[in-house]
mmCIF file with all atom_site columns, all heavy atoms in Angstrom:
data_model
loop_
_atom_site.group_PDB
_atom_site.id
_atom_site.type_symbol
_atom_site.label_atom_id
_atom_site.label_alt_id
_atom_site.label_comp_id
_atom_site.label_asym_id
_atom_site.label_entity_id
_atom_site.label_seq_id
_atom_site.pdbx_PDB_ins_code
_atom_site.Cartn_x
_atom_site.Cartn_y
_atom_site.Cartn_z
_atom_site.occupancy
_atom_site.B_iso_or_equiv
_atom_site.pdbx_formal_charge
_atom_site.auth_seq_id
_atom_site.auth_comp_id
_atom_site.auth_asym_id
_atom_site.auth_atom_id
_atom_site.pdbx_PDB_model_num
ATOM 1  N N   . THR D 1 102 ? -12.679 -9.208 -19.814 1.00 0.00 ? 229 THR D N   1
ATOM 2  C CA  . THR D 1 102 ? -13.876 -9.421 -18.995 1.00 0.00 ? 229 THR D CA  1
ATOM 3  C C   . THR D 1 102 ? -15.155 -9.082 -19.745 1.00 0.00 ? 229 THR D C   1
ATOM 4  O O   . THR D 1 102 ? -16.245 -9.202 -19.184 1.00 0.00 ? 229 THR D O   1
ATOM 5  C CB  . THR D 1 102 ? -13.802 -8.577 -17.721 1.00 0.00 ? 229 THR D CB  1
ATOM 6  O OG1 . THR D 1 102 ? -13.776 -7.187 -18.077 1.00 0.00 ? 229 THR D OG1 1
ATOM 7  C CG2 . THR D 1 102 ? -12.554 -8.906 -16.920 1.00 0.00 ? 229 THR D CG2 1
ATOM 8  N N   . ASP D 1 103 ? -15.008 -8.659 -21.016 1.00 0.00 ? 230 ASP D N   1
ATOM 9  C CA  . ASP D 1 103 ? -16.171 -8.263 -21.814 1.00 0.00 ? 230 ASP D CA  1
ATOM 10 C C   . ASP D 1 103 ? -16.985 -7.201 -21.087 1.00 0.00 ? 230 ASP D C   1
ATOM 11 O O   . ASP D 1 103 ? -18.215 -7.287 -20.951 1.00 0.00 ? 230 ASP D O   1
ATOM 12 C CB  . ASP D 1 103 ? -17.053 -9.475 -22.126 1.00 0.00 ? 230 ASP D CB  1
ATOM 13 C CG  . ASP D 1 103 ? -18.093 -9.162 -23.207 1.00 0.00 ? 230 ASP D CG  1
ATOM 14 O OD1 . ASP D 1 103 ? -17.862 -8.242 -24.009 1.00 0.00 ? 230 ASP D OD1 1
ATOM 15 O OD2 . ASP D 1 103 ? -19.152 -9.840 -23.217 1.00 0.00 ? 230 ASP D OD2 1
ATOM 16 N N   . SER D 1 104 ? -16.278 -6.180 -20.609 1.00 0.00 ? 231 SER D N   1
ATOM 17 C CA  . SER D 1 104 ? -16.916 -5.124 -19.822 1.00 0.00 ? 231 SER D CA  1
ATOM 18 C C   . SER D 1 104 ? -16.781 -3.775 -20.513 1.00 0.00 ? 231 SER D C   1
ATOM 19 O O   . SER D 1 104 ? -15.791 -3.514 -21.203 1.00 0.00 ? 231 SER D O   1
ATOM 20 C CB  . SER D 1 104 ? -16.277 -5.036 -18.437 1.00 0.00 ? 231 SER D CB  1
ATOM 21 O OG  . SER D 1 104 ? -16.439 -6.249 -17.733 1.00 0.00 ? 231 SER D OG  1
ATOM 22 N N   . ASP D 1 105 ? -17.775 -2.948 -20.284 1.00 0.00 ? 232 ASP D N   1
ATOM 23 C CA  . ASP D 1 105 ? -17.809 -1.567 -20.759 1.00 0.00 ? 232 ASP D CA  1
ATOM 24 C C   . ASP D 1 105 ? -17.930 -0.655 -19.545 1.00 0.00 ? 232 ASP D C   1
ATOM 25 O O   . ASP D 1 105 ? -18.807 -0.877 -18.701 1.00 0.00 ? 232 ASP D O   1
ATOM 26 C CB  . ASP D 1 105 ? -19.029 -1.331 -21.654 1.00 0.00 ? 232 ASP D CB  1
ATOM 27 C CG  . ASP D 1 105 ? -18.688 -1.310 -23.121 1.00 0.00 ? 232 ASP D CG  1
ATOM 28 O OD1 . ASP D 1 105 ? -17.687 -0.652 -23.471 1.00 0.00 ? 232 ASP D OD1 1
ATOM 29 O OD2 . ASP D 1 105 ? -19.427 -1.927 -23.897 1.00 0.00 ? 232 ASP D OD2 1
ATOM 30 N N   . TYR D 1 106 ? -17.092 0.358  -19.483 1.00 0.00 ? 233 TYR D N   1
ATOM 31 C CA  . TYR D 1 106 ? -17.143 1.320  -18.386 1.00 0.00 ? 233 TYR D CA  1
ATOM 32 C C   . TYR D 1 106 ? -17.373 2.706  -18.977 1.00 0.00 ? 233 TYR D C   1
ATOM 33 O O   . TYR D 1 106 ? -16.819 3.043  -20.021 1.00 0.00 ? 233 TYR D O   1
ATOM 34 C CB  . TYR D 1 106 ? -15.832 1.291  -17.599 1.00 0.00 ? 233 TYR D CB  1
ATOM 35 C CG  . TYR D 1 106 ? -15.494 -0.071 -17.044 1.00 0.00 ? 233 TYR D CG  1
ATOM 36 C CD1 . TYR D 1 106 ? -14.569 -0.894 -17.688 1.00 0.00 ? 233 TYR D CD1 1
ATOM 37 C CD2 . TYR D 1 106 ? -16.107 -0.550 -15.885 1.00 0.00 ? 233 TYR D CD2 1
ATOM 38 C CE1 . TYR D 1 106 ? -14.251 -2.149 -17.184 1.00 0.00 ? 233 TYR D CE1 1
ATOM 39 C CE2 . TYR D 1 106 ? -15.798 -1.798 -15.379 1.00 0.00 ? 233 TYR D CE2 1
ATOM 40 C CZ  . TYR D 1 106 ? -14.868 -2.598 -16.034 1.00 0.00 ? 233 TYR D CZ  1
ATOM 41 O OH  . TYR D 1 106 ? -14.573 -3.837 -15.537 1.00 0.00 ? 233 TYR D OH  1
#
Side-chain angles (χ1 to χ4, degrees):
T229 63
D230 193 24
S231 299
D232 257 315
Y233 303 100

